[in-house]
Structure formats: structure tokens, C-alpha cells
Amino acid sequence: VQLQASGGGLVQAGDSLRLSCVASKRTSSNNGMAWFRQAPGKEREFVAGVSWNGGGTIYEDSVKGRFTISRDYGQSAVYLQMNSLKPEDTAVYYCATARRAYPGREASEYAYWGQGTLVTVSS
């Protein structure tokens, strides 16, 4: 399974971006999916996750109310709508497929990872 992430870029604080991630096979259709991010010099951290059917979502506290995760079940795709971006959101964002139907907050719970897309938010 390959995950292809896209949509990153350079924006100003307060702007919005929408990240996309498409799986090469439909093996992700019965698995939770998530977005993680890694800022320079920091460890990878969980951002948001969505259940296999899109019915359940979880978020890291700092992005609640600003980011929205969704998925296209038929296309094994996951999206991250990011609004009101802040400089501290600057990071490489990675999509991932969980080992089970519901997402977790630990990287070890994910079997497949995309290559990452860079989001840079200027102040």
C-alpha cells in the first residue's frame, strides 16, 4: 500500500489549506486513517484521526475547532481541512493507515505511511 499526500505549501497565519492523501489500494477502506506532523527538531505527533467509515474522529487538543479530518470511503482517501493556521502548525504532515478500524494516537498503531507534505505558516 502506498499513500500519496499532497496539498502542503507556504501560507500566512490565519489562512487555510486542505491536505489530501490517497491510498494506492483499497486496503485502507476498512481501516482507520490519520494525519501526523513533525516539526523541525521535534518528534512526530498525532494531529487527527478518522474511523474506517468516517463516523468517528479524534483530534489533538491544539487543532480542535480549526482542523477537520474527513475521508472518501470509496477512494480510500483522507483529507485534512486546516483553518486559522498558526506558525506553530508549521511541520511536515504525514498521512497513515491504522492497523485496525479505529484510529489511535500512537504512531505504532499505524501500518502504512505517506511521504509527507510540508506546511509552512508565516507570521
Side-chain angles (χ1 to χ4, degrees), residues 44-78:
R44 190 171 300 190
E45 66 172 358
F46 173 81
V47 176
V50 61
S51 64
W52 68 279
N53 62 354
T57 57
I58 53 174
Y59 295 92
E60 193 268 330
D61 286 346
S62 69
V63 307
K64 283 181 180 178
R66 300 188 298 123
F67 290 10
T68 303
I69 189 170
S70 61
R71 69 181 298 166
D72 181 333
Y73 179 79
Q75 298 296 322
S76 293
V78 64

Side-chain angles (χ1 to χ4, degrees), residues 97-115:
T97 300
R99 301 180 190 277
R100 57 193 185 108
Y102 293 89
R105 298 176 182 272
E106 301 298 326
S108 59
E109 299 179 71
Y110 293 81
Y112 303 103
W113 293 83
Q115 85 288 1

Side-chain angles (χ1 to χ4, degrees), residues 12-102:
Q12 294 185 332
D15 286 350
S16 298
L17 276 177
R18 185 175 188 250
L19 306 184
S20 300
C21 175
V22 180
S24 60
K25 296 173 62 175
R26 288 194 62 184
T27 53
S28 296
S29 62
N30 294 320
N31 297 77
M33 298 186 77
W35 289 93
F36 284 72
R37 66 186 179 187
Q38 187 167 16
K42 295 187 177 181
E43 295 186 353
R44 190 171 300 190
E45 66 172 358
F46 173 81
V47 176
V50 61
S51 64
W52 68 279
N53 62 354
T57 57
I58 53 174
Y59 295 92
E60 193 268 330
D61 286 346
S62 69
V63 307
K64 283 181 180 178
R66 300 188 298 123
F67 290 10
T68 303
I69 189 170
S70 61
R71 69 181 298 166
D72 181 333
Y73 179 79
Q75 298 296 322
S76 293
V78 64
Y79 308 97
L80 186 67
Q81 177 65 43
M82 306 186 295
N83 298 329
S84 302
L85 283 161
K86 304 176 180 180
E88 51 264 43
D89 294 319
T90 295
V92 177
Y93 284 71
Y94 299 89
C95 57
T97 300
R99 301 180 190 277
R100 57 193 185 108
Y102 293 89

